[in-house]
Every structure is written in C-alpha cells, then in structure tokens.
Amino acid sequence: MTLLEELIRAIELWLRIVKKQEYVVNPNLDPVLLVPGIAGSILHAVDDEGKKTERVWVRILGADHEFRTKLWSRFDPSTGKSVSLDDKTRIVVPEDRYGLYAIDTLDPDMIVGSDCVGYYHDMIVEMIKWGYQEGSTLFGFGYDFRQSNRLKETMEKFQEKLETAYNSDGERKLTVITHSMGGLLLKCFMSLHSDIFEKYVKRWIAIAAPFQGAPGYITTSLLNGMSFVNGWEANFFISKWSMQQLLIECPSIYELMASPNFEWHDIPVLQIWRQRVDNSGQSSSLLESYGPKEAIPLMAQALSNHKVSCGGTQLAFPLNKDILKWAEETREIMSRAKLPDSVEFYNIYGIDVDTAHSVCYGSELAPVSDVEQIIFSQPQFIFVTGDGSVPAESAKADGFNAISRVGVLADHRGIVCDRHVFRIVKHWLKAGEPDPFYDPVNDYVILPTAFEVEWHREDTKEITSVKEEWEIVSSEKNTKCNYTDKSTAIPPFVGSVSVICEEDDESSEEAEALLVVEPNINGNQHVVLRATGVDMNK
C-alpha cells in the first residue's frame, strides 16, 4: 500500500468509510414479505370467460378509458366488497415471481420516466445484494387496493402468503415489511388472526404507515381526486377526476380518514369560508372549522348531488354512508390489535416534508356560497411535518411497544427507495455483511457519491491525484427523547494533512490531503477529500 493509499485509508476510517463489499445468496436468512400500500399493486382485468387479460393499473395507452371501464366500482354492504361496474370483468393480482412482480415496477412496459412507476423495485434490488433470493427468502403480497383492509378474501390470501413464505425453507418465521396502507392491512390481520400472525411472523417493519389516518390527503382525495405523480409523467396516469369516482366507493380510502378518537396534538380540521347574507342583503364572510367527526356531514353535503356518466347512464356517487359505517368498524378492529410478545416491531416514518393536515376551501375575499362548489375548488392547506402524505404524528402513533422508531427525511413514495432507509432496514434484518456505513447508535449513514483518480509522470516523479466525495445522512432526531440532536454531526471545517517518507535507497514518498466538511443542512453533510501523492526516485 502506497503512502497516499494509507493516508486516504486513515481518513476513510475516521469517517467510518470502507470499500464496497460483495454479496452472495445467503440461504440462512429469515424470509421477508413485502406489502405495498394503496395503488402499489399491478391489477389485471380478466373477462368473464377468462380469455382476455389486460393490465388496468398501471398502464400508458388508453389508461383513463380502461380505468373507468374496468376499475370503477360499487360497494356491496352485504359483503364489504367493491365490485366493478362492468359485471363481465373481474380484477386479479398477478402472482409472478412469488408475488414480487405485482409490487416491483407498476408498468413494466414504461421505459422513459420509469422511476415514477417504480414501487418496491429499488428495495428488491438492494435486498438481493444483501443475500436474499426470490421465492426462497423474498416474497411479495400484492392486493386489490380498492377493497377494505379487512376484507375476508384479502385476509385469506394473506394467510396463504404467510404460510408459503414460512414453509419456503424449513419453517422459518418471517419479517413483514409494509409501506403506507399495507401497515393497516397487517394491523387488521393481526387483530383478526392473532394466533396465525404470531405463528408465522418474527418481525414487523412498518414504513410510512398512516396509523391514525392521512387527514389532508384523504379529505381532498374524496372531494377533489388524487394524483400519484406530478410533472409530465402525470400525462400517462389516471386523471384526478377519474380517480375521485373510484375512491368514493373504496372502503380502503375511508379507512384512511383521520381517526376521530385519537388525541391529536394538532387536530386536523376541514375549514370553509362561508358567504353570509344578512336581512339587508349585505354579504360577509365567516370561517367555519370542523373536526374529524363534524367534517363528515359537510363532506356528505358537498357530494350529495355528485353524479358521473358511465356507459351513457348518469350514476349517483355521493359520500357512501355504508362505507363510512364499515370503515368505523375497521378502525374499531384495528384499535383492538395487540402485538404478540414474540414479535419485534420497528417503525420508520417521514419527517420535514410539508404534509397537508387541515384543508380550507374558499377565502375571506372569495367565500363559498354553495357547499357543493367545493368539489370544483382548489383547496388551501395547513401543513405539518411528515412525508407529504402522512403526518409524522399519525405514523408514529402505532400503539405498540416498538423496538425502534426512526424519522427519515423522505417523501411518502420515495421513502421505500431511500438509501438511508436501506441501511436501517439492513441493520434490523441482520442481513449481509456488517455494514460500516451505518451507525445504529446515532442513526446516520455515510454514502459515497463520487470517486475520481488521475495519474501522470514528470521526469522522476509519479504523481497521483484522488478526489472522493461522501454524503453523511442523519435523521437528526433522538427518537427516545423526541428532540433534535446534532451531536452526531461532524463539525464543519477545512483541514489539511501531509506526510513525507524517505527511504534508505534515496527514494521518497509524499502525500497530502485536503478535507472539507460542509455545515449540516437538514440532516445532510457533504464531505470532499482531495489528495495528492508523489513518488520520487532520486
């Protein structure tokens, strides 16, 4: 090892940096089951004769038309199931690749902009690097996300998946990793089938789970629709209007409404600037605020005459009172969920992203004269910290005795492909080789972002120049005490070091390095190392 290499190695060790390691399949790992959230599963439409199958979520060509034709549904209160309006169509979830295909990339045909439809793809790739193998230690559970999280059919299929993963290699208990609404599905299963859950599950890692709901996101979804992507990629997706008609008949969406019985620190409200006209004809504005329970009658009023055209027929799509009742029973079931003593629970949630919490329609200067107008209005939001969809307060309120809760600076969809999250999950799974990039005590990771090397010769000198860059990513949250802790950050500075080594044969080596550590901004520190080595033969 040259003097330059030794110097760089010393600095790397000081920053807890080591070279990349290789990973191979490890058959001794406990199996892992990945469960997505809402809209996180590929859905296929199959005709009544079973001859034609087509992907209806997600697809590019004819997306909106096929979505309305095949996925729009009606809730059946006798079964608790939403059934497609097209009675010749049934919706199925593909089971290819042991369930992973349906939750990997939601539109496998999309080349340009494929990142916007990638769901668990990056995590699957990472876990294979850690030693997991599809069908042996890695499985997926896709499901019809229109349905209730406690639908009997879904619960039965989930039990089958647990049994498959458990028996895949010697009856090993598994880890279930859930994202978003997948956490509610698992909580329902744990409440309804606690003995089966305890038999098969060793560890549960919940990521961005809306345990107490996603108030602002769901309120506007029911009233104004939902967009899953922004920017030019949105042209390939379902319109907000088409999505609204689906969601208003989906039990799963109602089960994501703000929990009315939770003691919110920041109570989510639905506000409306209402126009008032007195006896003299003078107009004024009055701001009205409604809590989670009181907001429901107002939403019902706004959607009371809501209709859509389907197949040449006008169909009424008001706020569904039967689903409201069903969702209330679902929340009651989840409130009874008890984590078995034998199961470890971990929670990762998003922080420091503006997250819609309370929603306001109209303004003091432009008040609402008719409540039914708000479904065509642009809402204003009061934001809290979270992941952009789920408030951190809701995600943290799991109600369990957690081994660890970690807040990560990431948005709701991006959190499942966040490199910081990968390091955390890998540590909890005890997978792969020991990871020197991650410090579990202080919860930070060091990510190499660039490496450059140049070499040239001048007379009797051999000169080598090296540039390395790293990103030190910290949650900056002490999860036990719930306060900001920046003690783990390296103090910003610019420093240099040089070393000279002379040999008896009159040859010599020189090495010098400049290290720049930038200030900690939002939990991230940028580190740059520039080093030069000179090998001289006299």
Side-chain angles (χ1 to χ4, degrees):
M1 181 179 290
T2 66
L3 188 63
L4 176 63
E5 291 173 329
E6 291 179 355
L7 180 59
I8 293 176
R9 177 70 174 181
I11 295 175
E12 288 178 336
L13 289 174
W14 179 67
L15 288 172
R16 301 186 187 182
I17 301 289
V18 297
K19 301 302 181 183
K20 184 179 179 181
Q21 301 179 35
E22 298 295 331
Y23 299 94
V24 297
V25 172
N26 182 357
N28 297 317
L29 289 171
D30 293 327
V32 170
L33 176 61
L34 303 177
V35 182
I38 188 168
S41 304
I42 289 177
L43 301 181
H44 285 170
V46 182
D47 63 19
D48 55 354
E49 297 180 354
K51 295 180 179 179
K52 183 180 179 182
T53 300
E54 60 180 332
R55 188 174 69 250
V56 289
W57 181 266
V58 174
R59 57 181 288 168
I60 300 176
L61 299 177
D64 210 63
H65 176 269
E66 295 302 313
F67 181 87
R68 296 195 303 267
T69 304
K70 305 297 194 309
L71 283 182
W72 275 5
S73 56
R74 280 291 197 190
F75 178 72
D76 182 352
S78 66
T79 63
K81 186 174 183 177
S82 283
V83 182
S84 296
L85 293 179
D86 181 0
D87 57 8
K88 296 181 179 180
T89 297
R90 59 186 177 90
I91 301 300
V92 299
V93 180
E95 281 293 329
D96 311 60
R97 291 174 49 205
Y98 311 97
L100 293 168
Y101 171 81
I103 65 173
D104 188 331
T105 299
L106 301 184
D107 187 349
D109 296 333
M110 195 169 184
I111 300 176
V112 179
S114 59
D115 287 348
C116 67
V117 293
Y119 198 94
Y120 268 122
H121 177 76
D122 289 355
M123 182 173 287
I124 292 171
V125 170
E126 282 295 316
M127 294 185 73
I128 289 174
K129 291 179 182 179
W130 303 342
Y132 288 92
Q133 185 177 38
E134 294 185 9
S136 176
T137 52
L138 188 58
F139 301 83
F141 181 73
Y143 57 97
D144 185 350
F145 50 81
R146 300 175 303 168
Q147 310 299 340
S148 168
N149 288 293
R150 63 178 171 100
L151 184 70
K152 185 173 183 292
E153 179 181 325
T154 304
M155 297 289 95
E156 290 173 350
K157 290 182 177 179
F158 188 71
Q159 179 178 339
E160 292 174 4
K161 184 66 70 171
L162 289 177
E163 292 173 349
T164 299
Y166 177 79
N167 293 317
S168 62
D169 189 16
E171 297 186 343
R172 292 181 181 173
K173 285 191 173 185
L174 56 146
T175 295
V176 182
I177 299 178
T178 62
H179 175 243
S180 189
M181 191 178 74
L184 303 191
L185 186 152
L186 189 60
K187 195 170 185 180
C188 284
F189 186 87
M190 186 171 66
S191 179
L192 294 170
H193 308 285
S194 58
D195 55 338
I196 299 172
F197 181 88
E198 185 173 13
K199 176 181 178 181
Y200 294 128
V201 178
K202 174 181 180 180
R203 183 185 297 114
W204 173 16
I205 299 175
I207 302 177
F211 286 112
Q212 302 302 329
Y217 190 63
I218 296 304
T219 297
T220 55
S221 294
L222 287 169
L223 293 174
N224 309 110
M226 175 190 295
S227 291
F228 287 94
V229 294
N230 297 314
W232 67 270
E233 294 97 338
N235 296 321
F236 297 138
F237 280 73
I238 313 305
S239 69
K240 290 184 67 175
W241 179 85
S242 294
M243 184 59 72
Q244 182 201 22
Q245 319 317 316
L246 174 77
L247 301 181
I248 209 166
E249 288 288 316
C250 289
S252 58
I253 292 297
Y254 290 67
E255 291 166 358
L256 291 172
M257 297 174 75
S259 175
N261 300 319
F262 178 62
E263 295 184 5
W264 295 89
H265 179 269
D266 297 304
I267 300 175
V269 296
L270 173 58
Q271 295 182 318
I272 180 172
W273 280 98
R274 183 100 63 162
Q275 184 181 39
R276 300 293 186 186
V277 180
D278 60 23
N279 294 332
S280 63
Q282 293 295 317
S283 178
S284 61
S285 301
L286 178 66
L287 180 62
E288 300 175 348
S289 296
Y290 302 87
K293 288 183 179 179
E294 296 77 16
I296 292 176
L298 182 67
M299 295 172 65
Q301 183 182 353
L303 292 163
S304 59
N305 293 313
H306 183 49
K307 296 179 181 179
V308 300
S309 178
C310 183
T313 304
Q314 288 288 318
L315 300 176
F317 271 69
L319 195 71
N320 195 308
K321 296 181 180 179
D322 288 327
I323 302 182
L324 284 168
K325 181 180 178 181
W326 180 277
E328 184 178 350
E329 294 171 356
T330 300
R331 281 191 287 270
E332 174 61 26
I333 288 172
M334 287 192 289
S335 70
R336 299 196 300 265
K338 303 295 183 183
L339 185 74
D341 293 337
S342 62
V343 178
E344 300 175 354
F345 176 74
Y346 301 83
N347 189 340
I348 300 176
Y349 55 93
I351 57 172
D352 295 340
V353 178
D354 283 343
T355 304
H357 194 57
S358 294
V359 185
C360 181
Y361 290 93
S363 67
E364 186 174 8
L365 298 178
V368 175
S369 58
D370 185 350
V371 173
E372 293 181 21
Q373 295 175 354
I374 67 177
I375 64 175
F376 307 108
S377 304
Q378 185 68 30
Q380 302 296 318
F381 299 105
I382 296 175
F383 296 103
V384 295
T385 184
D387 60 24
S389 297
V390 179
E393 182 181 6
S394 173
K396 289 191 293 184
D398 46 68
F400 303 131
N401 183 21
I403 301 296
S404 181
R405 295 186 183 90
V406 179
V408 176
L409 177 57
D411 63 41
H412 190 68
R413 288 295 296 273
I415 199 168
V416 289
C417 55
D418 183 87
R419 291 176 294 173
H420 186 182
V421 171
F422 291 160
R423 267 26 186 278
I424 297 170
V425 171
K426 180 185 176 186
H427 172 72
W428 287 344
L429 293 175
K430 301 177 177 63
E433 298 295 327
D435 186 357
F437 286 91
Y438 179 59
D439 182 348
V441 175
N442 297 315
D443 183 38
Y444 70 84
V445 296
I446 303 178
L447 308 174
T449 58
F451 177 79
E452 300 173 6
V453 59
E454 294 182 0
W455 177 89
H456 66 278
R457 187 178 184 87
E458 295 179 5
D459 297 328
T460 60
K461 298 179 181 179
E462 290 184 357
I463 302 175
T464 304
S465 300
V466 176
K467 177 185 177 183
E468 293 190 17
E469 294 185 42
W470 306 287
E471 201 78 17
I472 301 178
V473 185
S474 171
S475 71
E476 286 197 300
K477 299 290 181 181
N478 185 317
T479 56
K480 292 182 180 179
C481 302
N482 196 29
Y483 65 85
T484 300
D485 180 6
K486 298 187 178 182
S487 63
T488 61
I490 301 173
F493 72 94
V494 178
S496 62
V497 61
S498 61
V499 183
I500 300 176
C501 180
E502 295 186 356
E503 303 292 340
D504 293 337
D505 60 0
E506 297 186 346
S507 64
S508 65
E509 284 186 85
E510 297 180 12
E512 60 180 21
L514 174 67
L515 184 66
V516 179
V517 180
E518 297 180 359
N520 188 319
I521 301 177
N522 292 328
N524 290 13
Q525 273 189 293
H526 190 62
V527 179
V528 180
L529 170 65
R530 298 180 184 271
T532 302
V534 179
D535 188 356
M536 181 182 300
N537 295 313
K538 296 181 180 180

